[in-house]
Amino acid sequence: MLHHLAMSGVDLSKATDWLHVINDLSSLVQLHLSYCKLSHIHPHVPSLNLTSLSLLDLSLNSFDSSMPPWIFSLTSLLSLDLNGCFLSVPSAHSFRNLTDLEFLDLDGSNFMNSSLVLKELSSSNLISLDIGSCGVSSLDLDSLHNLTNLLSLGLSSNELTKRIPKSLGNLCNLKEIDLSFNNFGNISLTYLLESFFECKSSALESLSFSFSGVSGHLPDQLGQLSNLVHLLLSDNYITGTIPHSIGQLSFLRTLDLSVNQMCGSIPFSIGRLSLLEVLDLGLNQLNGSLSEWIGGLSSLKKLYLSHNRLDGNLPDRLGQLTKLVSLDISFNLFTGVVTEAHFTNLVSLNSL
């Protein structure tokens, strides 16, 4: 019996009966049909036999119809990926049978009524929800507060313009949230993060606000997000200095604060981040020397410091970064000449 069918990338544009054929595979557990040039998703199926299907991937197709009710009759479904399908949602009652659903990806699905759909989802047991590019507004976010099992929440490229409601402080199990490519209209990062600081012990491992018009300073409370692995805040309007509490994020592997308006020196505490692999502070207004903290970044593979006002003698410091593969220190005030000879694994160097 067939349990796993992967046909992603296969041109099925002429296969008008694809669903009727697959519907006969009653033992199917996983079905991958990403980027198959499917245009017709068959709104009605007389008798659905896919009772064992737990994963359905229909991403990167361009369907010419709204989301069909049969998808929400898949009682064993745990993972649904409709990323980039540009489907609309015909009626929110379609979601009411999803009490056992754990994963739902509707990124790019072009909701006709995102508020109503999110309210219907609020009683589900979702652990992963991706509603990127779905026209979700700030007012819709309150509908998510009951999804306390959520581990991953994707909200990128939506219409979020206001403060994140405090009700999202209920999502203390959340490990990953993506709020990039929104327009928060110069709202302070401190206010935007307020709800996440409500948790006594935050589980957040990945936080992204890149390209979202965020302003204000990096709050000292960042150190409370002690499980963070990836912190992505690039291309915003963040000002002020990097707080010393950044050194409390001992699990951090990626720190991207590039393309902001941050000033002052890089805090010594950043040298405590021994697991850090990517540090991007480029295109800010940082000054001072790299000091002894640079030697503490023993896992660093990528270091980007270009377009700042940093100074000091470079070869003495950077030679300690034995795992470095990519380095950009251009457009600063450093002294000394840095070449590939100073490093064992370096493949990319910009030191102009």
Side-chain angles (χ1 to χ4, degrees):
M1 294 186 294
L2 187 63
H3 297 291
H4 186 124
L5 179 59
M7 299 185 67
S8 296
V10 177
D11 187 351
L12 298 177
S13 57
K14 296 181 181 179
T16 56
D17 60 344
W18 65 271
L19 179 57
H20 296 290
V21 173
I22 289 172
N23 194 36
D24 290 333
L25 304 174
S26 58
S27 61
L28 207 58
V29 176
Q30 293 191 19
L31 175 60
H32 299 265
L33 293 173
S34 176
Y35 193 53
C36 288
K37 299 184 180 180
L38 297 170
S39 59
H40 188 51
I41 199 170
H42 301 274
H44 302 291
V45 180
S47 178
L48 194 64
N49 298 321
L50 302 175
T51 55
S52 300
L53 196 67
S54 64
L55 185 149
L56 175 60
D57 182 359
L58 294 172
S59 62
L60 301 176
N61 288 289
S62 297
F63 296 111
D64 57 9
S65 58
S66 61
M67 194 179 298
W70 64 261
I71 284 183
F72 306 104
S73 298
L74 298 169
T75 54
S76 298
L77 197 64
L78 300 177
S79 174
L80 174 61
D81 190 344
L82 296 172
N83 181 357
C85 288
F86 303 102
L87 288 164
S88 58
V89 176
S91 59
H93 76 271
S94 303
F95 290 88
R96 290 177 180 167
N97 294 325
L98 298 184
T99 54
D100 295 323
L101 186 68
E102 293 186 355
F103 181 101
L104 180 62
D105 185 342
L106 296 173
D107 192 349
S109 296
N110 192 25
F111 282 173
M112 299 302 291
N113 192 335
S114 58
S115 177
L116 186 58
V117 170
L118 291 180
K119 286 180 181 178
E120 293 296 330
L121 282 174
S122 65
S123 59
S124 70
N125 293 317
L126 286 170
I127 61 173
S128 182
L129 175 62
D130 190 338
I131 44 177
S133 304
C134 288
V136 176
S137 72
S138 295
L139 295 176
D140 298 332
L141 295 185
D142 262 326
S143 303
L144 300 174
H145 73 278
N146 285 330
L147 298 176
T148 54
N149 292 326
L150 269 184
L151 301 180
S152 178
L153 178 59
L155 290 165
S156 65
S157 303
N158 274 299
E159 299 172 11
L160 304 181
T161 58
K162 303 182 184 301
R163 290 173 62 171
I164 296 171
K166 286 190 176 183
S167 60
L168 287 195
N170 293 340
L171 308 184
C172 292
N173 292 318
L174 201 61
K175 291 188 175 183
E176 176 183 3
I177 185 166
D178 185 356
L179 291 151
S180 59
F181 294 95
N182 281 284
N183 184 9
F184 288 103
N186 290 325
I187 297 177
S188 169
L189 183 62
T190 302
Y191 289 131
L192 289 173
L193 292 176
E194 201 171 28
S195 61
F196 301 112
F197 296 140
E198 296 291 320
C199 299
K200 291 182 179 180
S201 179
S202 173
L204 263 185
E205 296 179 1
S206 180
L207 174 64
S208 177
F209 271 101
S210 297
F211 294 91
S212 287
V214 176
S215 67
H217 297 180
L218 290 181
D220 284 332
Q221 296 98 310
L222 266 180
Q224 297 178 24
L225 306 179
S226 57
N227 289 307
L228 271 182
V229 178
H230 305 289
L231 179 58
L232 309 173
L233 301 173
S234 69
D235 294 85
N236 284 298
Y237 304 101
I238 300 172
T239 57
T241 60
I242 301 173
H244 287 281
S245 62
I246 202 80
Q248 298 174 29
L249 306 179
S250 56
F251 295 110
L252 208 60
R253 293 183 182 273
T254 305
L255 176 59
D256 189 351
L257 303 176
S258 62
V259 197
N260 279 289
Q261 300 168 16
M262 305 197 69
C263 60
S265 60
I266 301 172
F268 187 86
S269 62
I270 209 167
R272 300 175 192 154
L273 305 179
S274 60
L275 298 180
L276 196 66
E277 297 180 353
V278 179
L279 176 60
D280 192 345
L281 303 176
L283 287 146
N284 278 286
Q285 300 168 23
L286 299 169
N287 55 40
S289 68
L290 299 187
S291 186
E292 288 81 8
W293 61 260
I294 195 75
L297 303 181
S298 55
S299 300
L300 202 64
K301 296 179 180 179
K302 297 180 180 180
L303 176 61
Y304 306 119
L305 300 172
S306 70
H307 293 84
N308 281 289
R309 299 169 185 170
L310 299 167
D311 56 32
N313 190 287
L314 277 177
D316 294 344
R317 305 299 182 194
L318 294 179
Q320 302 174 59
L321 304 178
T322 57
K323 295 183 179 180
L324 209 61
V325 295
S326 183
L327 174 64
D328 188 350
I329 51 174
S330 60
F331 298 98
N332 279 287
L333 304 173
F334 293 123
T335 58
V337 178
V338 176
T339 67
E340 287 88 344
H342 289 96
F343 307 95
T344 306
N345 301 306
L346 200 68
V347 296
S348 175
L349 171 64
N350 187 357
S351 60
L352 293 176

